[in-house]
Amino acid sequence: KEVSGDSIIYLGQERNPWRPLIHTTANLTEISSIKSSFQFRTFDPEGVIFYGDTKNGNDWFVLSLKEGFPLMQVSKEDVQVSVTGGPKLNDGKWHTVDLSNQGKFVILEVDSSPGLVVGMHSKQTKEVISGELRLALGGILTTKDKMIVQTDPQMDGCIREGRWLNLNIPWVADAEELWLCHQNIRPGSFFAGEGFSIFNTSVFSIDEDQGFKVEFWGDFSQMDGTILSIMSSQDELLGALVANNNTNEIHLTIRKEKHVVKNTMKRLQITFLKYIVKWLIYYVDESNEIAFSYGPESTPGNLTTLTEGRFAIGGLLGKYKLILNILFYIFRASDPILLFKKRKLKAKQTASRRC
């Protein structure tokens, strides 16, 4: 699938973690500018952002994050350099990143201020004026063993308004559909019903004593479908919150434990502690609330399994999504024949769109 280089790209889409999300190739003779600029936002402290190479991957450049700080790694002929520093970028705000090559120096600027400067010189280095240049976002096109500093490649972040050298050629995405990237994410955000909002839980600071807290506010009687789902790094569904507008019920599930409550609540708070999961439900009149707790026998090692998992708003993660969608259509179809006739028309609709 072709993607415009200046579109909004969510880098955290599920795939082989080292494989780029999108990539492009150009002839070096077509390049008149050696500067790229883009806006970047993440809460993730580590992951690959941008990659470029020439000479079939023998000379390469990687920009990533390490503990929230920019990390530039450059390999050219017999010289390899790694530099870390500049401002922390994993604060959840949009930052303008400029990368340029000026003679022997590779320069990184963040929000128009100096970030990092890498200087390289080798007697073997020759100016490359022909051949192909490859660019990639969210992964690398060389082997990870060549990296000077080993990092976790997966980046849960967004890029927008990219201007890559002076190239106007389209990028290529291996995925048939790119996941949505919300331009504004902060406590209290409203998630429209265009589909999933998925986070890698590694971006969250999960304190062992305070745990990990999720809070929802709204008119739950107007919701229908999956509101929340959480999956471990082993693709085990840890929990789900599902609204059924037909029965006026909210289904709370933590592994094999289930509770059903009325959908007249106005606020729901879920806290994941090391050995306990707590649900706290506030109803419309504020005087009535219900609390559920799931102990160690139901939720062994919560924080351990949650740390490298996934967290989704507006949809059910993994293979369970398919099951949910099938049931969703069957129970709402008055005519089974009509259901299958309209399947193509409804294929892009999920329970999450009505959340």
Side-chain angles (χ1 to χ4, degrees), residues 40-46 49 64-71 84-95 97 108 110-111 114-116 205:
F40 173 69
R41 182 202 65 202
T42 188
F43 288 99
D44 204 337
E46 187 168 331
I49 303 171
S64 57
L65 290 189
K66 187 76 170 179
E67 298 180 355
F69 293 101
L71 165 64
T84 305
K88 267 197 168 185
L89 297 183
N90 65 326
D91 56 4
K93 300 178 181 178
W94 287 104
H95 295 281
V97 179
L108 171 72
V110 178
D111 298 327
L116 287 174
S205 298

Side-chain angles (χ1 to χ4, degrees), residues 115-132:
L116 287 174
V117 178
V118 177
M120 301 184 68
H121 176 70
S122 171
K123 293 181 179 180
Q124 297 184 27
T125 301
K126 296 180 180 179
E127 185 179 1
V128 180
I129 57 175
S130 62
E132 289 186 334

Side-chain angles (χ1 to χ4, degrees), residues 61-78:
F61 167 87
V62 178
L63 172 66
S64 57
L65 290 189
K66 187 76 170 179
E67 298 180 355
F69 293 101
L71 165 64
M72 289 202 300
Q73 302 185 65
V74 187
S75 178
K76 199 168 186 179
E77 299 292 348
D78 61 331

